[in-house]
Amino acid sequence: MNSHKRMFVRIIWKAFAHRFSRVMIASLAIAMGASILSGLGLVAVTVPDYIAKELRSFGANLVVLPQGSNVITRETVSAIDRQCGESLMGRAGYSYGNLLYGQQPVPLMVTKFADARSVRPYWSIDGKVPQGSEQILLGVNLAEKFRLHVGDLIGLKVAQLRENTGGDDSGRDNRAGKQLEISGLLRTGGPEDDLAVLSPDSYTAMGGVADGYSLVEYSLKGDTSQLSALAKTIGKKVKGVDAEVVRRTTQNETRIAHTLSNLIWLVSIIISALMLIAVSATLSSIVSERAREIGLKKALGALSKDVFTELIGESIMLGLFGGFLGVLLGIGLADYILQKVFLARVEINWIILVLTIVFSVAVAVIGSLWPAKRIARINPINVLGGE
């Protein structure tokens, strides 16, 4: 750094320090604005994931069905998973059939309980989830129909017959009944209340064959347009299945995300305008106070552009100081909001923090343009003459 640049920095620093109380007002205005902007930015980055997780309590947002009378194989599910990629939050496959309770049919759903609860967290279970192949989950309506309770035993058997293989056993049902303990009663307010729910291991132990899925539900990140595009991709690239978006769930999530985004933009625009007004008013006051000083500099040979450059330098220092202070306050603000509302901790996004500081500097520079124009109109003769 040559002597001219060192002198320029020294002049700016002295001017900044000499009017610290006046400059502090503009710095605080920038700091408060920057704290809100950075805080909102950090919240906007962190919150969508938590909102998506909360909205998953309404159920899956993508459903995959087999074409025709086929079933969805595990290989097909793996292919669909690859198409979903990092947006996949949860997935569950379901097979449907019937059991027999005496001579009465019992509608059956076979699924892995952990998978099902990842996409259907709204399930309410009176009791507990089955822990082994000797336990079953009954819907509350089904339990009421047969007057059964948690802890009771129920004798069930698979309703289908074995394939006709010839000989004396042709068409005869070789599956023996099995006593299962009712570990819990399922209450959803939906069709699951009328079903018996078994794990694949339990169904296999009873002699059933769970070699595919009648339906696969997915819980995914993304708005309506993204999920619609994914559904089309799955339909084209994965044979034998049709993918459908659950519009109610995805539209609610998209609406909330857009509302949050619009609110953040609105508040950001208002805060930016207030920052600009505060900075411009403060710098205008500083220029008025320094009219004699500026007039003297011009009388000694300084050009308007030299004084203008000095004021811009002070504005940049003002923006850096206020922006850095605001970013520190914004991190604390975002962390407080996330803890109180979402029980989460803030995730530092350096891009947002750097952009906030750059924006603070830009606001300070823009706010100095109007006061800088007054510098060009200052006449050394008039100012030094007492006018």
Side-chain angles (χ1 to χ4, degrees):
M1 183 182 293
N2 57 38
S3 59
H4 179 74
K5 292 182 179 179
R6 285 198 300 269
M7 179 59 70
F8 179 72
V9 173
R10 180 180 176 83
I11 290 173
I12 293 176
W13 173 251
K14 288 295 183 181
F16 188 85
H18 182 67
R19 295 172 179 82
F20 185 75
S21 59
R22 174 73 68 178
V23 172
M24 181 56 69
I25 297 175
S27 296
L28 289 177
I30 293 177
M32 293 304 295
S35 67
I36 296 175
L37 292 177
S38 59
L40 287 176
L42 292 173
V43 169
V45 169
T46 307
V47 162
D49 287 340
Y50 289 94
I51 290 179
K53 290 178 182 178
E54 290 297 323
L55 289 177
R56 292 287 71 77
S57 63
F58 294 109
N61 51 10
L62 185 73
V63 175
V64 179
L65 299 167
Q67 294 177 348
S69 59
N70 298 324
V71 295
I72 303 175
T73 64
R74 289 174 175 79
E75 291 76 14
T76 301
V77 172
S78 298
I80 298 172
D81 290 350
R82 288 192 293 271
Q83 295 298 325
C84 295
E86 296 181 356
S87 64
L88 179 60
M89 297 178 64
R91 180 255 295 157
Y94 307 92
S95 301
Y96 296 94
N98 286 287
L99 297 174
L100 289 176
Y101 178 53
Q103 297 301 317
Q104 300 185 60
V106 175
L108 171 68
M109 180 170 70
V110 180
T111 186
K112 294 181 180 180
F113 293 106
D115 291 347
R117 300 197 76 180
S118 70
V119 297
R120 298 185 180 186
Y122 56 84
W123 275 13
S124 175
I125 298 176
D126 299 332
K128 60 182 181 179
V129 175
Q131 301 298 317
S133 61
E134 304 297 322
Q135 293 183 328
I136 190 172
L137 197 64
L138 287 188
V140 289
N141 293 343
L142 194 63
E144 183 178 355
K145 175 182 177 180
F146 295 126
R147 298 182 181 179
L148 297 169
H149 306 87
V150 175
D152 290 349
L153 295 177
I154 179 172
L156 297 168
K157 70 176 181 177
V158 177
Q160 297 114 322
L161 299 178
R162 286 189 182 274
E163 294 182 358
N164 191 344
T165 57
D168 296 336
D169 293 335
S170 298
R172 194 176 67 203
D173 186 0
N174 292 322
R175 292 175 174 84
K178 189 171 184 179
Q179 294 288 323
L180 298 174
E181 179 187 0
I182 302 173
S183 66
L185 301 181
L186 177 61
R187 187 187 308 274
T188 68
E192 297 93 340
D193 292 357
D194 298 298
L195 300 175
V197 186
L198 277 175
S199 68
D201 292 339
S202 298
Y203 187 60
T204 302
M206 293 179 65
V209 179
D211 55 356
Y213 303 110
S214 307
L215 166 72
V216 181
E217 292 182 336
Y218 282 87
S219 182
L220 303 165
K221 297 178 184 177
D223 56 23
T224 304
S225 59
Q226 292 172 329
L227 292 177
S228 297
L230 177 60
K232 292 180 180 178
T233 301
I234 292 173
K236 291 179 180 179
K237 294 187 176 182
V238 182
K239 295 182 179 180
V241 298
D242 291 317
E244 299 178 1
V245 178
V246 182
R247 297 287 176 181
R248 182 189 63 181
T249 303
T250 55
Q251 287 174 354
N252 286 338
E253 183 175 343
T254 302
R255 190 179 300 114
I256 292 174
H258 285 172
T259 301
L260 177 63
S261 177
N262 292 335
L263 177 62
I264 290 175
W265 275 109
L266 177 61
V267 173
S268 299
I269 291 172
I270 294 174
I271 294 300
S272 300
L274 293 177
M275 287 172 61
L276 190 60
I277 293 171
V279 171
S280 182
T282 303
L283 292 179
S284 294
S285 177
I286 291 176
V287 169
S288 298
E289 290 180 357
R290 297 175 60 187
R292 286 180 177 273
E293 175 190 332
I294 295 171
L296 180 59
K297 287 181 179 180
K298 285 189 172 185
L300 293 174
L303 300 176
S304 293
K305 68 175 184 178
D306 296 325
V307 184
F308 175 82
T309 303
E310 181 182 329
L311 182 63
I312 294 298
E314 293 180 22
S315 302
I316 293 175
M317 186 175 292
L318 182 70
L320 288 173
F321 178 78
F324 182 75
L325 179 61
V327 162
L328 295 179
L329 294 173
I331 293 174
L333 175 64
D335 192 54
Y336 177 80
I337 292 174
L338 291 172
Q339 285 192 60
K340 291 296 182 180
V341 179
F342 297 97
L343 300 178
R345 299 306 299 268
V346 65
E347 296 179 6
I348 303 299
N349 188 302
W350 294 106
I351 295 178
I352 290 177
L353 301 185
V354 172
L355 287 178
T356 300
I357 295 176
V358 172
F359 182 76
S360 299
V361 173
V363 168
V365 171
I366 294 173
S368 67
L369 294 180
W370 173 251
K373 290 183 179 180
R374 297 180 57 192
I375 293 175
R377 296 196 297 266
I378 293 177
N379 191 325
I381 297 176
N382 295 333
V383 174
L384 296 177
E387 296 183 16

